[in-house]
Amino acid sequence: MTTYVWDHRREYENEREDILDAVDTVFRSDQLILGESVRGFENEFAAYHGVAHCVGVDNGTNAVKLGLQAIGVGPGDEVVTVSNTAAPTVLAIDAVGAKPVFVDIDPDTYLMDTDQVAGVITDRTKCLLPVHLYGQCVDLDPLERLAAQHGLKILEDCAQAHGARRNGRMAGTTGAAAAFSFYPTKVLGAYGDAGAVITSDDEAEQRLRKLRRYGMEKQYYVVTTPGHNSRLDEVHAEILRRKLRRLDTYIADRRAVAQRYADGLGDTELVLPQIADGNDHVYYIYVVRHPARDEILKALKELDFEFNISYPWPIHTMTGFAHLGHSVGELPVTERVADEIFSLPMYPTLPEDLQEKIITALRDILGRG
């Protein structure tokens, strides 16, 4: 049986009774859209982060998009971010009419190289959008200083960092707002698409609530454009409420999986995840690196192990973003890393015996060289 990076079935079997009860709770309720389950999840997710507000939306892409709109980013503005991210980060910037401006990444953590940010700020820059990638946090201290100096907003992309911390401060609690995805693979995942934006800015929260519901302030009356139907649905909200109670357990289990990889592969030529000082990693993805990546993946596939690469193509090199005017060679670290990284299976219920087989296969392949 082919082994992939993620498998939800064991988790579902473990939690099946609670998940089905969540569905039944919603279906027996008197409100199927923006009801008690959405309100409850929003309150509980905000409380988990110690912020004032959470606004549930339909997916992580729209969480970034609506988050940008809520903090005032629009046509003609520039948003500083990275090219080593999932495409939705940049698609959301493009969707609000803003221009993404890329900086390179740190060669050890693959996170935004914050030393490069000051050099790309212009009079059009409106927002700094750090991506807390793979499960650990960007150092926001220098970004906070730049934001204060230039009058900028920070929107944190936390799609891969639920519960991650830096120097005790939780991802998503520093900027003007933070966007989350609850895609099924995430550290906190629904059973389909879902997302949220958290903020302690009352005005941003009010704008978010209008924007996710057609721009309406009251029934049938649009006060804000462009609004969309971007609501978090009740079923996913109720499932997320139940799973939020187990989030810290999921994180502990992911760290245990990461430790087994470190113990089993630490003496090989693979470059294992490097944790930045002060970070508490939650291991959304366990990304390793080797210059012979493609040969290793080919050998693994012959053994019926098929793994993922996050991400094989930097955003600025994709034809879909050719209108941004970038070219290969502009972000050398990002481009080099994209040629060498791949992800090992990482999820809380990864069986230990399967993980041992993965470690053994990798050690055998690496030993051949």
Side-chain angles (χ1 to χ4, degrees):
M1 179 179 178
T2 300
T3 301
Y4 295 95
V5 174
W6 175 79
D7 189 333
H8 75 283
R9 289 169 293 183
R10 183 180 291 258
E11 176 187 278
Y12 176 66
E13 289 303 321
N14 291 344
E15 303 180 7
R16 182 174 183 272
E17 184 175 341
D18 195 31
I19 298 302
L20 294 182
D21 183 66
V23 175
D24 190 61
T25 295
V26 172
F27 287 176
R28 290 179 183 273
S29 74
D30 63 355
Q31 191 168 1
L32 297 178
I33 302 294
L34 294 183
E36 179 56 35
S37 292
V38 168
R39 288 191 294 272
F41 173 70
E42 289 176 338
N43 291 338
E44 291 155 18
F45 197 65
Y48 180 84
H49 288 87
V51 299
H53 309 291
C54 169
V55 178
V57 298
D58 52 346
N59 57 62
T61 308
N62 279 335
V64 179
K65 178 179 178 290
L66 299 185
L68 287 167
Q69 290 177 294
I71 63 174
V73 178
D77 293 332
E78 293 180 350
V79 178
V80 180
T81 190
V82 290
S83 183
N84 180 37
T85 184
T89 305
V90 182
L91 287 168
I93 297 170
D94 198 52
V96 302
K99 177 184 177 181
V101 176
F102 299 119
V103 294
D104 217 337
I105 58 173
D106 179 87
D108 296 322
T109 63
Y110 319 137
L111 300 171
M112 174 184 277
D113 184 345
T114 56
D115 289 341
Q116 296 189 19
V117 174
V120 299
I121 291 175
T122 71
D123 58 2
R124 287 183 145 188
T125 306
K126 189 70 170 284
C127 175
L128 308 180
L129 204 168
V131 180
H132 300 310
L133 198 68
Y134 302 149
Q136 67 173 325
C137 299
V138 175
D139 180 4
L140 295 183
D141 290 344
L143 299 188
E144 283 188 283
R145 291 191 292 269
L146 288 170
Q149 180 182 351
H150 295 279
L152 309 176
K153 297 290 183 69
I154 296 175
L155 175 68
E156 300 175 61
D157 184 336
C158 299
Q160 302 186 8
H162 309 75
R165 295 175 185 267
R166 180 174 179 81
N167 296 326
R169 187 166 58 177
M170 191 174 291
T173 61
T174 299
F180 288 82
S181 168
F182 305 116
Y183 186 76
T185 62
K186 303 302 185 183
V187 179
L188 178 62
Y191 282 78
D193 280 312
V197 182
I198 63 172
T199 182
S200 288
D201 183 322
D202 295 344
E203 292 184 5
E205 181 243 358
Q206 290 303 309
R207 285 194 289 271
L208 283 163
R209 295 199 182 280
K210 295 169 190 173
L211 287 166
R212 74 159 178 196
R213 185 172 172 260
Y214 311 112
M216 290 180 180
E217 187 171 55
K218 55 187 177 181
Q219 189 77 345
Y220 304 130
Y221 192 91
V222 174
V223 296
T224 301
T225 58
H228 302 280
N229 178 3
S230 302
R231 301 173 296 215
L232 173 63
D233 75 73
E234 282 286 289
V235 171
H236 285 315
E238 186 61 34
I239 290 172
L240 287 166
R241 289 185 78 180
R242 312 295 181 94
K243 295 188 73 177
L244 178 58
R245 300 164 194 162
R246 299 186 281 271
L247 176 54
D248 291 341
T249 299
Y250 298 151
I251 291 170
D253 291 343
R254 285 175 178 273
R255 287 173 175 157
V257 172
Q259 187 59 55
R260 289 196 292 272
Y261 278 134
D263 292 342
L265 298 168
D267 62 345
T268 70
E269 295 177 351
L270 282 179
V271 177
L272 304 186
Q274 306 296 301
I275 304 175
D277 290 343
N279 271 356
D280 295 322
H281 207 309
V282 296
Y283 295 102
Y284 166 58
I285 305 176
Y286 195 88
V287 174
V288 299
R289 184 177 174 187
H290 195 285
R293 188 266 310 276
D294 293 346
E295 290 81 0
I296 292 170
L297 289 180
K298 180 180 178 181
L300 284 167
K301 191 169 184 178
E302 291 172 354
L303 297 173
D304 215 18
F305 291 105
E306 190 165 339
F307 298 165
N308 193 31
I309 302 172
S310 298
Y311 299 96
W313 301 287
I315 301 296
H316 71 285
T317 68
M318 296 182 185
T319 57
F321 295 100
H323 62 285
L324 300 177
H326 294 286
S327 60
V328 173
E330 289 185 15
L331 302 172
V333 179
T334 297
E335 293 165 23
R336 183 169 69 251
V337 165
D339 289 336
E340 298 181 355
I341 55 174
F342 63 102
S343 306
L344 304 188
M346 168 55 74
Y347 47 96
T349 55
L350 178 66
E352 288 191 37
D353 59 340
L354 175 56
Q355 189 176 7
E356 286 303 316
K357 291 178 182 177
I358 293 166
I359 291 170
T360 299
L362 279 166
R363 293 187 68 88
D364 179 60
I365 292 166
L366 293 165
R368 297 174 196 172

